[in-house]
């Protein structure tokens, strides 16, 4: 069974269509689990409505905004508890296309990463500055950690159950977006099979980005911590 996990913070204008489109791209037994951090825009209540009408949609409510990494630790635990053998991660803003889910799952790797930077991958609608930060960030991650992944910071991924168990995701130090590269690095260190599947990343449709300077700083620190720190998981 595939469980798609989606953290949300102020995504009221995206959740209904996301739930629909994700379910349309899953087999009958697939489920989607949203993890909302008590969004002030009422996303949580909308999610409860959707879940009440559709048993394949589940919702986790957390009391406060604790960051993307913390939300994913809770989401992964719930997905595994419900019996998922594949766990997909994606954003709730249509930057990641639900139609790509089947290709990620079909890659059959311990970890399949949706990649903007392999042949066939692309990014649309991003200003040059944001694209440059992403490319340079990825380059720094590759050089410092030695991890041979072209798009190590992306958030559209599919994990085998056994892989999530192997990396001990719950002990990840990252509170925010660096959770993505920290978990990739753990998979890499464990010599799990990693596939990069080309995706087109689009700018978000509705709502605003939650990325901040402090999230970026945590990511940069994490790169060096992974390389020179002691806890690799
Ligand atoms: N639960 C939760 N979700 C978050 C948090 N920060 C970001 N998200 C969600 O994570 C996804 C990616 O965030 P987004 O703002 O689109 O980041 P960007 O694409 O890098 O600009 C979206 O679905 C957000 O709603 C958080 O602290 N808690
Ligand atoms: Mg986004």
């Amino acid at each position: 069974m595939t469980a798609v996990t989606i953290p949300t913070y102020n995504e009221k204008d995206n959740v209904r269509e996301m739930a629909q489109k994700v379910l349309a791209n899953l087999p009958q037994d697939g489920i989607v689990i949203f993890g909302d951090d008590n969004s002030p825009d009422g996303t949580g209540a909308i999610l409860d409505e959707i879940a009440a009408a559709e048993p394949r949609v589940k919702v986790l409510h957390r009391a406060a905004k604790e960051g993307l990494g913390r939300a994913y630790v809770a989401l992964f635990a719930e997905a595994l508890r419900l019996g998922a053998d594949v766990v997909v991660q994606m954003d709730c803003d249509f930057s990641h296309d639900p139609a790509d889910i089947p290709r990620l799952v079909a890659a059959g790797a311990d970890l399949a990463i949706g990649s903007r930077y392999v042949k066939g991958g692309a990014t649309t609608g991003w200003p040059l500055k944001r694209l440059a930060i992403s490319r340079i960030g990825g380059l720094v991650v590759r050089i410092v950690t030695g991890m041979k992944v072209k798009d190590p910071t992306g958030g559209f991924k599919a994990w085998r159950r056994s892989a999530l168990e192997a990396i001990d995701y719950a002990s990840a130090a990252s509170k925010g977006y660096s959770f993505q590269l920290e978990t990739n690095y753990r998979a890499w260190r464990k010599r799990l099979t990693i596939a990069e599947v080309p995706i087109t990343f689009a700018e978000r449709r509705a709502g605003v980005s939650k990325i901040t300077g402090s999230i970026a700083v945590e990511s940069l620190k994490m790169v060096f911590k992974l390389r020179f720190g002691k806890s690799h998981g």
Side-chain angles (χ1 to χ4, degrees):
M1 180 270 272
T2 298
V4 175
T5 58
I6 307 180
T8 58
Y9 194 75
N10 289 347
E11 301 288 2
K12 71 174 167 57
D13 295 324
N14 290 316
V15 282
R16 285 184 192 281
E17 194 181 346
M18 272 303 288
Q20 265 171 23
K21 294 265 158 73
V22 169
L23 288 181
N25 284 285
L26 288 179
Q28 252 327 300
D29 65 345
I31 61 171
V32 50
I33 314 172
F34 290 94
D36 188 63
D37 280 1
N38 203 3
S39 296
D41 75 347
T43 296
I46 300 172
L47 287 171
D48 284 340
E49 266 176 45
I50 302 170
E54 170 53 82
R56 296 166 71 200
V57 175
K58 325 269 177 199
V59 190
L60 286 183
H61 294 281
R62 298 158 55 71
K65 187 173 189 315
E66 280 191 79
L68 186 75
R70 293 291 139 219
Y72 267 128
V73 169
L75 282 163
F76 287 173
E78 183 66 0
L80 297 180
R81 190 184 73 79
L82 293 170
D85 39 57
V86 176
V87 179
V88 174
Q89 302 178 244
M90 68 189 295
D91 294 353
C92 197
D93 56 0
F94 292 95
S95 285
H96 303 142
D97 185 349
D100 290 334
I101 294 170
R103 282 194 304 121
L104 277 184
V105 176
D110 290 325
L111 166 59
I113 300 174
S115 180
R116 298 162 283 188
Y117 307 133
V118 292
K119 195 170 185 297
T123 303
T124 60
W126 260 15
L128 198 60
K129 186 178 161 203
R130 186 132 192 219
L131 202 57
I133 291 170
S134 172
R135 294 307 298 250
I136 292 166
L139 195 66
V140 170
V141 173
R142 279 203 298 289
I143 292 170
V144 176
T145 68
M147 178 161 58
K148 302 263 182 305
V149 172
K150 293 210 165 68
D151 192 354
T153 57
F156 196 9
K157 313 201 277 190
W159 294 88
R160 259 192 198 133
R161 180 187 189 92
S162 56
L164 276 187
E165 286 166 351
I167 65 162
D168 184 21
Y169 64 87
S171 71
S174 299
K175 288 194 160 42
Y177 292 41
S178 64
F179 182 78
Q180 303 294 7
L181 61 102
E182 186 177 10
T183 51
N184 289 349
Y185 188 69
R186 287 184 177 198
W188 170 260
R189 295 272 307 190
K190 295 263 181 205
R191 297 177 192 282
L192 303 182
T193 57
I194 301 177
E196 282 190 90
V197 175
I199 58 155
T200 295
F201 180 98
E203 182 50 306
R204 71 159 47 241
R205 277 199 203 158
V208 294
S209 170
K210 280 94 215 173
I211 202 149
T212 62
S214 71
I215 287 172
V217 169
E218 185 195 24
S219 293
L220 194 60
K221 282 190 189 156
M222 181 55 62
V223 177
F224 291 93
K225 193 171 160 193
L226 292 175
R227 173 67 179 77
F228 302 108
K230 288 196 169 46
S231 66
H232 296 121

